Amino acid sequence: MATRGRRSDGDHIADLYRRIYQVVRRIPRGHVATYGQVAELAGIPGGARVAGAAMRGCPPDLGLPWHRVVGKRSRGMAKVSIHDPVGGGIQSSMLEEEGVIFTAAGSIRLEQFGWLPTDDRPARGRRKRR
DNA sequence: GCAATGACGCTCT
DNA sequence: CAGAGCGCCATTG
């Protein structure tokens, strides 16, 4: 599928999607990232929609923390963009459980819970111990 | 290969 | 701060 038809059997999902899942997986608990951020880190600048499409078909087998991915509504403010009333409720509950606080309007302050992809990579071989 | 769709993003009103 | 419109990218039919 997907015009490239490389992997005939199994196939599953495009390698690009896999990269997106990998990015979502590295989001620290208690923080949230936007689709645009995930897409850019995955190698798709401006492909926020693609990240969403990938999340929509997120395989539960990977235990992907998709609930940490939110839609950037305004500068410094994000909100759950899931169209599913049930899934959206689950995501809010999960985030709240992780310590994320929602405003009265149901938005999240990125300046407080926004994930900053900077600290990662101790370089000196010193692995960060979680 | 073209047309339509979508868990988005930014700007203007 | 909230709502509506247009644009961007990849997948699917």
Side-chain angles (χ1 to χ4, degrees):
Chain A
M1 334 196 12
T3 38
R4 260 171 249 135
R6 225 186 296 82
R7 258 176 246 42
S8 8
D9 58 314
D11 154 356
H12 303 106
I13 311 163
D15 297 336
L16 189 56
Y17 272 41
R18 263 197 213 167
R19 199 157 304 169
I20 295 172
Y21 297 142
Q22 188 66 31
V23 175
V24 176
R25 228 184 213 246
R26 64 190 253 183
I27 299 174
R29 176 182 170 286
H31 287 262
V32 295
T34 63
Y35 292 97
Q37 185 87 40
V38 175
E40 189 177 338
L41 290 171
I44 316 162
R49 297 195 102 90
V50 184
M55 290 294 107
R56 193 193 177 230
C58 65
D61 302 358
L62 298 175
L64 207 72
W66 56 270
H67 58 265
R68 282 182 201 155
V69 186
V70 294
K72 197 159 139 191
R73 222 13 206 151
S74 170
R75 194 166 166 93
M77 289 278 248
K79 200 176 179 175
V80 177
S81 302
I82 298 182
H83 289 212
D84 270 315
V86 181
I90 294 171
Q91 180 173 20
S92 332
S93 300
M94 291 278 245
L95 291 173
E96 262 203 35
E97 200 187 311
E98 293 197 348
V100 178
I101 309 299
F102 289 80
T103 64
S107 307
I108 306 170
R109 303 228 185 208
L110 291 176
E111 55 179 69
Q112 176 94 17
F113 302 103
W115 171 45
L116 304 175
T118 49
D119 46 310
D120 216 19
R121 200 198 338 240
R124 269 181 224 151
R126 218 152 326 168
R127 210 118 1 145
K128 200 168 113 148
R129 76 178 80 171
R130 234 173 350 172

